[in-house]
């Protein structure tokens, strides 16, 4: 989409965002791909810029927009979003955010609008955010969190498979190889997420089992999308019929986009 086409979007304010959290290899990417198939939700590939740049830009001033866009273009993994500098600059110039939270939210919105999407809320998936639930809450106090949990034994097998296949993406996570270390990480991360979400109070989060997403029944996405979403959306339920195939295709596209650039920072 041309940068000038973004002016066509004069839509109502978006609903509060959704944040997907989980231990690595627990299905967070699969859940992201499922939710972004929904007609009212956009969830881009992961990039932790909202937290990374919070301290630098929390005292937001429109005069710092160019510097913010420069930092975004160099942020780790932002190349996988496929959003150009001109598109971001044009979008910011037309929307004029008055706070850092608004500026960060506009980046997600720009991603969706550049893809011709009309949606009512954006989401984010990033295991890095396990340690920053309080910061996300400070930025987006009405946000909703989905905590996906996978059986620890399956997670351990997935870690072992990752090591055996020697996954060479420069974005590959650094995972422990010893079973005892995997178990300790799995337990620690899930307990940390539970504690962080409990501190937010009731009605702000939902716990979801990975196994419910890959079973034959559509109960997983229905439960996950009950709060303000439309579980009857055919696309999100159709995704469940072939989640692994879609996930593989999406990973290939994101890796191809990433290979075209060499981002730094983050």
């Amino acid at each position: 989409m041309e940068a000038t086409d973004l002016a066509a979007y004069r839509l109502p304010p978006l609903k509060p965002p959704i944040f997907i959290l989980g231990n690595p290899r627990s299905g967070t990417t699969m859940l992201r791909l499922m939710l972004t198939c929904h007609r009212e939700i956009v969830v881009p590939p992961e990039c932790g810029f909202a937290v990374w740049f919070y301290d630098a830009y929390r005292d937001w001033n429109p005069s710092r927009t160019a510097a913010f866009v420069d930092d975004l273009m160099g942020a780790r993994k932002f190349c996988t979003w496929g959003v150009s500098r001109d598109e971001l600059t044009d979008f910011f110039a037309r929307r004029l955010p008055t706070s850092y939270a608004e500026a960060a939210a506009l980046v997600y919105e720009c991603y969706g609008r550049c893809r011709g999407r009309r949606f009512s809320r954006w989401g984010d998936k990033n295991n890095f955010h396990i340690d920053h639930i309080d910061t996300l809450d400070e930025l987006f106090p009405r946000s909703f969190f989905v905590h996906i949990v996978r059986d620890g034994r399956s997670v351990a097998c997935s870690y072992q498979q990752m090591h055996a296949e020697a996954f060479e993406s420069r974005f590959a996570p650094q995972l422990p190889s010893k079973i005892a270390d995997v178990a300790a990480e799995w337990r620690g991360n899930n307990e940390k997420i539970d504690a962080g979400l409990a501190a937010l109070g009731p009605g702000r989060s939902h716990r979801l089992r990975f196994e419910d997403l890959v079973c034959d029944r559509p109960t997983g996405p229905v439960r996950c999308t009950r709060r303000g979403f439309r579980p009857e959306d055919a696309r999100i339920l159709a995704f469940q019929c072939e989640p692994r195939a879609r996930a593989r295709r999406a990973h290939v596209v994101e890796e191809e986009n990433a290979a075209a650039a060499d981002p730094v920072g983050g």
Side-chain angles (χ1 to χ4, degrees):
M1 176 181 292
E2 296 294 332
T4 53
D5 292 339
L6 297 174
Y9 291 97
R10 301 298 183 193
L11 302 175
L14 298 180
K15 296 177 182 178
I18 308 157
F19 290 100
I20 302 169
L21 301 174
N23 188 80
R25 313 305 300 166
S26 292
T28 53
T29 296
M30 181 177 292
L31 180 55
R32 176 184 82 80
L33 296 171
M34 294 177 74
L35 289 183
T36 206
C37 286
H38 195 284
R39 61 191 170 205
E40 294 187 3
I41 306 171
V42 164
V43 189
E46 66 181 62
C47 177
F49 75 89
V51 172
W52 293 337
F53 301 147
Y54 186 30
D55 288 339
Y57 293 99
R58 64 193 308 162
D59 296 324
W60 179 258
N61 187 309
S63 65
R64 304 193 66 195
T65 298
F68 180 57
V69 171
D70 284 343
D71 284 341
L72 275 172
M73 299 308 297
R76 185 174 185 267
K77 293 190 178 183
F78 189 72
C79 60
T80 65
W81 287 36
V83 178
S84 72
R85 183 187 302 272
D86 288 344
E87 287 169 331
L88 278 170
T89 300
D90 185 72
F91 203 61
F92 270 69
R94 296 176 186 279
R95 300 294 290 274
L96 300 176
T98 59
S99 68
Y100 177 69
E102 289 182 11
L106 280 184
V107 179
Y108 290 91
E109 185 175 353
C110 183
Y111 167 85
R113 303 305 182 208
C114 287
R115 279 152 183 75
R117 294 285 305 274
R118 291 181 177 269
F119 53 95
S120 63
R121 71 199 311 169
W122 55 266
D124 180 281
K125 168 264 170 183
N126 202 324
N127 299 327
F128 161 76
H129 287 154
I130 291 174
D131 294 311
H132 302 282
I133 295 174
D134 55 344
T135 301
L136 295 176
D137 178 51
E138 185 175 347
L139 277 169
F140 309 106
R142 298 178 58 224
S143 54
F144 188 78
F145 294 79
V146 179
H147 176 196
I148 182 168
V149 181
R150 185 180 187 184
D151 188 298
R153 294 165 296 185
S154 296
V155 170
C157 290
S158 183
Y159 276 36
Q160 293 293 310
Q161 183 179 6
M162 290 281 287
H163 286 292
E165 294 179 354
F167 191 55
E168 295 183 353
S169 168
R170 68 177 181 274
F171 298 142
Q174 300 299 310
L175 304 174
S177 57
K178 296 181 179 179
I179 296 299
D181 294 336
V182 175
E185 178 174 275
W186 177 86
R187 179 174 181 176
N189 282 338
N190 283 301
E191 288 180 346
K192 191 181 300 182
I193 296 171
D194 285 338
L197 297 183
L200 301 180
R204 293 284 307 281
S205 64
H206 177 74
R207 206 171 200 257
L208 176 70
R209 293 178 66 247
F210 167 84
E211 289 74 18
D212 289 334
L213 293 183
V214 295
C215 68
D216 293 332
R217 297 172 291 110
T219 56
V222 170
R223 283 203 301 270
C224 167
T225 58
R226 184 173 294 163
R227 290 183 178 272
F229 308 158
R230 296 183 179 176
E232 72 276 10
D233 190 305
R235 283 172 292 185
I236 194 170
L237 297 181
F239 183 100
Q240 193 175 11
C241 298
E242 50 167 349
R244 292 180 179 83
R246 284 180 179 250
R248 283 196 298 271
R249 289 197 295 271
H251 275 306
V252 168
V253 171
E254 290 179 13
E255 284 294 314
E256 288 176 347
N257 289 339
D262 187 18
V264 296

